[in-house]
Amino acid sequence: MKTYFEGDLVQNEELNKVARQRQREYHEITVPKAALDSYLEKEWELRREYKRSVRLRKKKPIDELLEDEVWLLFKGMGFIEMNKDRNFKIRAGEVWKQVDVFARDEDYAFVVECKAGSVKGVSIATKDIREIADLRREIVDSIMKKYNDRSIRGRFMIATRGLKWTREKERLAKRKKLIVCKGTDLDYYRRLVKHLGSAAKFQIYSIWLPREKIPETITVPAIYAGKGREKYYCFVIRPEKLLQIAYVHHRRSTPEELLGSYQRMLKKYRLDKIDAFISEGGHFPNNIILSLREKPTFRRFKKEKQAGEVVVGMLELPREYASAWVIDGQHRLYGYADNERKSTASLPVLAFEPLPVDRQARLFVEINREQKSVSGNLLW
């Protein structure tokens, strides 16, 4: 049987074990005392001495540290299968391509080339851009055959740290359909994942995969109502579905602006409290309020009975990352990000058809200004 992958892939608890190794800046080994001098000559450091052996360590080279950093980013984004180590290859036609980071979830398989530099001012090499781009088609073909799934989406990235990108090379990478992820971008993405958990994946996708259709169509029963320009839909949805299209930042943000928006709009301590509340069986009966970026598709039921201007039907939400701005209920929604109930709980939603920016702003201010916190003592 023809093989398409060489090397180990890990899932579930094995992912966590590999993550713990990749979080370390040093390689560590234990060797007999008699071999100590030979290892010290190879730049290993003495860490601990035992009766018959010694514990040594050596700092990982900069290219391996970058690979670990990128690998851990994808792990934090919730990818379900990844390469175990640096000995992973994918067949590309008649050749084998060594892959620094391979990460797969239900819909995407990312192939990442990592390049690190230690000399200031050195640019990414054009050949590195062309090499991975020229093998794209063959690599995607191998991924589809490996998983026997023609729908899986192969996406390619060049991640760098310490290397300069010229405009010409960025344009080349864009033409070759490569995602460019620089060192500063990685810093912001890593902090965003720490803040939002796996829900950060869809916010990052809005930058990596602009205007790309999400793989699944999200359709829910809904009530359509409203007057004038402010038409809206009322429906109930699973949190994991809504997280795919929701956002709280300006959708054309840079990685720096993305992180800043989420840190301002979503307080980590509140997300943690809501996560705990949900885990204890709590739920929220009040609506999440959205403004949709595009008018959705709404199909009336054939035998619906209108009550005034209220119509019942099936609502198909926009199939685009960052297409539903959360006007109110940000913490309630993102509190589900890494909670196991995100696939079973239900959230009530009121979603407006596209509103002018000034009306979105006024509505946001009105809701947040008029909301008052109520003392728990009133329950008595």
Side-chain angles (χ1 to χ4, degrees):
M1 180 182 289
K2 194 170 186 178
T3 58
Y4 299 98
F5 287 9
E6 270 191 8
D8 295 327
L9 293 169
V10 289
Q11 299 181 4
N12 304 319
E13 182 54 35
E14 282 296 312
L15 272 174
N16 296 327
K17 288 174 64 176
V18 174
R20 287 191 287 272
Q21 296 170 1
R22 288 182 177 265
Q23 286 166 346
R24 300 169 184 154
E25 290 186 36
Y26 293 83
H27 288 298
E28 293 195 7
I29 57 172
T30 300
V31 300
K33 274 190 175 181
L36 175 60
D37 288 343
S38 63
Y39 278 90
L40 293 177
E41 290 174 359
K42 298 174 184 177
E43 299 183 348
W44 286 86
E45 302 173 3
L46 178 62
R47 180 167 173 78
R48 197 171 288 115
E49 192 169 350
Y50 304 104
K51 189 173 182 179
R52 295 185 178 84
S53 62
V54 289
R55 187 71 174 169
L56 306 175
R57 74 175 188 178
K58 181 195 283 190
K59 190 164 185 177
K60 296 176 181 177
I62 58 172
D63 56 340
E64 186 175 356
L65 287 170
L66 176 60
E67 291 169 22
D68 288 348
E69 184 180 7
V70 175
W71 193 98
L72 290 167
L73 173 66
F74 279 91
K75 165 69 166 56
M77 290 166 65
F79 280 76
I80 60 175
E81 184 176 52
M82 300 182 67
N83 61 308
K84 181 178 181 180
D85 52 36
R86 309 180 81 185
N87 302 312
F88 183 73
K89 297 178 182 179
I90 299 180
R91 180 184 292 276
E94 298 302 316
V95 302
W96 287 91
K97 176 72 176 80
Q98 188 274 330
V99 175
D100 296 328
V101 177
F102 176 81
R104 181 183 70 86
D105 67 4
E106 294 83 356
D107 305 302
Y108 289 95
F110 278 82
V111 176
V112 187
E113 185 84 358
C114 298
K115 296 294 179 183
S118 58
V119 180
K120 188 175 181 181
V122 175
S123 297
I124 180 75
T126 301
K127 67 177 181 62
D128 292 330
I129 300 172
R130 293 189 180 279
E131 179 185 357
I132 186 68
D134 291 345
L135 296 175
R136 276 178 50 108
R137 184 174 298 178
E138 290 84 359
I139 290 175
V140 170
D141 186 60
S142 287
I143 292 170
M144 289 180 174
K145 288 177 179 176
K146 163 69 176 178
Y147 293 104
N148 194 27
D149 184 356
R150 304 301 299 182
S151 67
I152 194 166
R153 302 182 179 192
R155 296 296 179 265
F156 291 74
M157 173 187 288
I158 293 187
T160 63
R161 188 173 285 284
L163 293 175
K164 181 182 176 183
W165 280 86
T166 62
R167 287 186 180 181
E168 180 184 355
K169 288 176 180 177
E170 285 200 56
R171 285 195 294 266
L172 173 62
K174 187 175 182 179
R175 288 198 306 272
K176 297 291 186 179
K177 298 182 179 179
L178 301 178
I179 300 165
V180 174
C181 195
K182 304 172 188 176
T184 51
D185 299 336
L186 284 169
D187 295 336
Y188 295 126
Y189 293 143
R190 185 179 65 250
R191 289 161 62 191
L192 183 65
V193 167
K194 184 177 181 180
H195 195 72
L196 282 186
S198 61
K201 173 165 69 175
F202 305 112
Q203 315 311 311
I204 295 171
Y205 278 179
S206 70
I207 294 178
W208 288 357
L209 311 170
R211 303 196 69 81
E212 182 160 326
K213 297 294 184 183
I214 65 174
E216 68 171 322
T217 301
I218 303 174
T219 305
V220 292
I223 295 172
Y224 181 47
K227 291 184 178 181
R229 297 175 66 186
E230 294 190 3
K231 298 285 188 178
Y232 57 83
Y233 306 87
C234 294
F235 56 91
V236 174
I237 192 171
R238 302 294 186 209
E240 69 174 359
K241 302 292 185 185
L242 186 54
L243 284 167
Q244 293 183 55
I245 61 172
Y247 71 105
V248 304
H249 64 100
H250 189 279
R251 65 187 311 277
R252 298 303 181 197
S253 297
T254 64
E256 181 180 9
E257 291 167 338
L258 181 75
L259 174 64
S261 295
Y262 278 92
Q263 288 180 326
R264 288 192 302 272
M265 298 297 298
L266 295 171
K267 304 303 179 186
K268 180 64 174 170
Y269 75 93
R270 287 190 63 188
L271 294 174
D272 292 342
K273 286 179 67 175
I274 289 173
D275 184 9
F277 173 71
I278 295 167
S279 295
E280 293 168 1
H283 68 281
F284 303 98
N286 45 332
N287 285 332
I288 305 290
I289 300 178
L290 310 175
S291 175
L292 301 175
R293 199 181 71 84
E294 298 176 355
K295 187 173 181 178
T297 301
F298 182 74
R299 298 181 178 88
R300 300 183 178 196
F301 289 147
K302 292 181 179 179
K303 297 181 179 180
E304 89 282 7
K305 294 183 178 179
Q306 286 192 224
E309 297 181 359
V310 175
V311 181
V312 180
M314 294 299 294
L315 175 67
E316 184 180 312
L317 292 165
R319 287 183 60 188
E320 190 175 329
Y321 300 109
S323 59
W325 183 51
V326 185
I327 298 175
D328 185 52
Q330 297 93 335
H331 288 91
R332 276 173 276 145
L333 173 60
Y334 284 91
Y336 278 98
D338 283 325
N339 192 286
E340 61 182 15
R341 291 184 60 204
K342 67 181 178 182
S343 60
T344 57
S346 297
L347 285 175
V349 176
L350 187 150
F352 285 95
E353 287 188 347
L355 293 170
V357 175
D358 60 339
R359 179 57 185 136
Q360 291 183 38
R362 286 200 305 274
L363 188 58
F364 176 82
V365 171
E366 287 167 4
I367 290 172
N368 288 277
R369 182 179 61 198
E370 296 303 325
Q371 285 187 138
K372 306 291 184 183
S373 61
V374 178
S375 170
N377 292 330
L378 292 180
L379 291 173
W380 296 102

